[in-house]
């Protein structure tokens, strides 16, 4: 582990990592257990990734915990996931404080059960002055819904003469997204072997490096995160330029 960390320390780390935590259900099924057993075990992985990010100096970590589409799952699974969210928030507050981590959320939080909303508000308030890592939980989050809301809100401003159509640019769109306070995603990780984005941060990943691993989320550990970051560090991010131009900038 220390060797992985010292290898990572030689190169810049991604500023913002986004994680699609997938494969809890299949992990549980392989063990002959109910899906919820997978969700419960996934919490260990959440803790590992948060700690790992804090240890190597990641500034922003955004985790996809519940999508707008996940509301269509069986009622009992949804209910248990919400209960797990509340109990984990209660349990993890101490760890967040100890590691100087600030909690943030994106998504349609008003759709969550009242209990979850109250717990979230409390942890956000108590961690608001923390400054090492910003941990954003995507809850009842859907990228298309987010973009629809952006368009509605910008349109209202235009209709009310608060904004000219000509003024609308990428920055203004950014400022209206749930993620207005976050930088672009540099690195997106998805576990469980699925190679899709599933409505997560479509605008924000325009130039992110994508990383897919077959490991199911409940098996994902700090080592897996560190290995993923080493792969990220070996990629060349060109942002549309040529390799030669990038080498010159790095000289
Ligand atoms: C990810 O695991 C957790 C959530 C989406 C809430 P899944 O529950 O999607 O597990 P699989 O993909 O069915 O294995
Ligand atoms: C994406 O996983 C959402 C979360 C990880 C919270 P899903 O399991 O819901 O995605 P699909 O349905 O396989 O695309
Ligand atoms: Mg899944």
């Amino acid at each position: 582990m220390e060797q992985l960390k010292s290898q990572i320390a030689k190169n810049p780390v991604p500023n913002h990592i986004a994680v699609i935590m997938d494969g809890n259900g299949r992990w549980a099924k392989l063990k002959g257990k109910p899906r919820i057993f997978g969700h419960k075990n996934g919490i260990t992985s959440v803790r590992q990734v948060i700690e790992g990010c804090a240890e190597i100096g990641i500034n922003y970590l955004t985790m996809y915990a519940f999508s707008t589409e996940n509301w269509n799952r069986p009622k009992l699974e949804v209910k248990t996931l919400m209960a797990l969210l509340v109990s984990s928030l209660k349990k993890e507050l101490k760890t967040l404080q100890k590691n100087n981590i600030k909690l943030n959320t994106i998504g349609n939080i008003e759709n969550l059960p009242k209990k979850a909303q109250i717990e979230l508000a409390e942890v956000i308030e108590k961690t608001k002055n923390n400054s090492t890592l910003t941990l954003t939980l995507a809850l009842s989050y859907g990228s298309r819904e987010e973009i629809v809301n952006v368009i509605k809100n910008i349109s209202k401003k235009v209709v009310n003469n608060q904004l000219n159509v000509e003024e609308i640019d990428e920055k203004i769109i950014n400022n209206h997204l749930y993620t207005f306070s976050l930088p672009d995603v540099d690195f997106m990780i998805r576990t469980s072997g699925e190679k899709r984005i599933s409505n997560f941060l479509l605008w924000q990943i325009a130039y992110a490096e994508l990383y897919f691993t077959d490991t199911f989320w409940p098996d994902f550990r700090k080592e897996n995160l560190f290995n993923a970051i080493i792969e990220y560090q070996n990629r060349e991010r060109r942002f549309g330029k040529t390799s030669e131009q990038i080498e010159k900038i790095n000289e």
Side-chain angles (χ1 to χ4, degrees):
M1 183 84 84
E2 287 313 308
Q3 202 196 333
L4 285 176
K5 279 211 265 188
S6 60
Q7 193 179 338
I8 288 173
K10 288 182 196 146
N11 292 297
V13 292
N15 186 36
H16 185 178
I17 298 181
V19 184
I20 303 176
M21 311 184 275
D22 196 18
N24 294 352
R26 279 164 285 163
W27 182 87
K29 197 173 178 191
L30 274 178
K31 296 188 152 42
K33 304 271 189 181
R35 295 178 55 82
I36 208 67
F37 181 74
H39 297 317
K40 282 186 181 147
N41 278 276
I43 295 170
T44 309
S45 311
V46 173
R47 199 177 302 126
Q48 285 261 320
V49 167
I50 295 172
E51 267 179 27
C53 283
E55 283 171 26
I56 57 169
I58 304 294
N59 294 320
Y60 298 91
L61 170 65
T62 300
M63 306 184 96
Y64 205 6
F66 196 85
S67 71
T68 46
E69 290 75 19
N70 288 149
W71 289 113
N72 299 321
R73 289 193 177 192
K75 267 206 179 76
L76 182 64
E77 181 171 345
V78 171
K79 209 175 143 193
T80 319
L81 277 169
M82 292 302 150
L84 263 184
L85 169 67
V86 173
S87 63
S88 318
L89 284 166
K90 277 198 204 310
K91 243 188 259 161
E92 302 303 329
L93 176 63
K94 257 190 266 155
T95 325
L96 296 182
Q97 298 293 38
K98 196 182 83 197
N99 293 299
N100 200 17
I101 295 165
K102 177 176 169 167
L103 185 73
N104 176 43
T105 56
I106 53 172
N108 196 343
I109 301 303
E110 283 168 18
N111 275 356
L112 300 177
K114 265 270 136 28
K115 247 191 175 164
Q117 292 188 41
I118 293 169
E119 205 59 48
L120 282 166
E122 191 179 325
V123 179
I124 290 171
E125 172 62 27
K126 287 188 170 148
T127 61
K128 70 175 184 208
N129 294 322
N130 293 349
S131 55
T132 304
L133 167 70
T134 299
L135 166 66
T136 301
L137 293 182
L139 291 162
S140 189
Y141 175 87
S143 197
R144 287 187 169 178
E145 185 182 89
E146 178 182 34
I147 291 169
V148 167
N149 285 331
V150 168
I151 293 171
K152 280 187 185 160
N153 289 329
I154 291 181
S155 305
K156 280 182 201 155
K157 287 186 183 169
V158 171
V159 170
N160 295 332
N161 292 321
Q162 291 168 288
L163 192 68
N164 283 323
V165 170
E166 299 313 319
E167 283 172 327
I168 299 173
D169 58 9
E170 292 184 11
K171 206 168 154 206
I172 287 195
I173 292 175
N174 258 317
N175 289 342
H176 286 79
L177 290 163
Y178 287 131
T179 52
F180 66 93
S181 63
L182 307 176
D184 278 353
V185 174
D186 298 297
F187 191 37
M188 180 178 273
I189 297 173
R190 182 172 190 146
T191 58
S192 90
E194 307 299 357
K195 291 172 187 68
R196 54 178 173 259
I197 305 300
S198 303
N199 204 11
F200 195 36
L201 304 173
L202 299 178
W203 169 278
Q204 297 86 341
I205 59 166
Y207 258 108
E209 293 296 327
L210 307 178
Y211 180 88
F212 299 101
T213 169
D214 287 338
T215 305
F216 288 133
W217 180 249
D219 284 331
F220 199 81
R221 291 289 172 273
K222 242 178 240 184
E223 288 88 337
N224 302 88
L225 171 75
F226 292 164
N227 281 315
I229 290 174
I230 289 168
E231 176 171 328
Y232 168 90
Q233 291 177 322
N234 285 322
R235 293 189 191 177
E236 183 180 60
R237 301 184 73 193
R238 289 194 285 277
F239 298 96
K241 296 186 176 150
T242 67
S243 206
E244 290 71 22
Q245 288 174 299
I246 300 297
E247 277 159 24
K248 239 191 203 122
I249 295 167
N250 289 335
E251 265 167 23

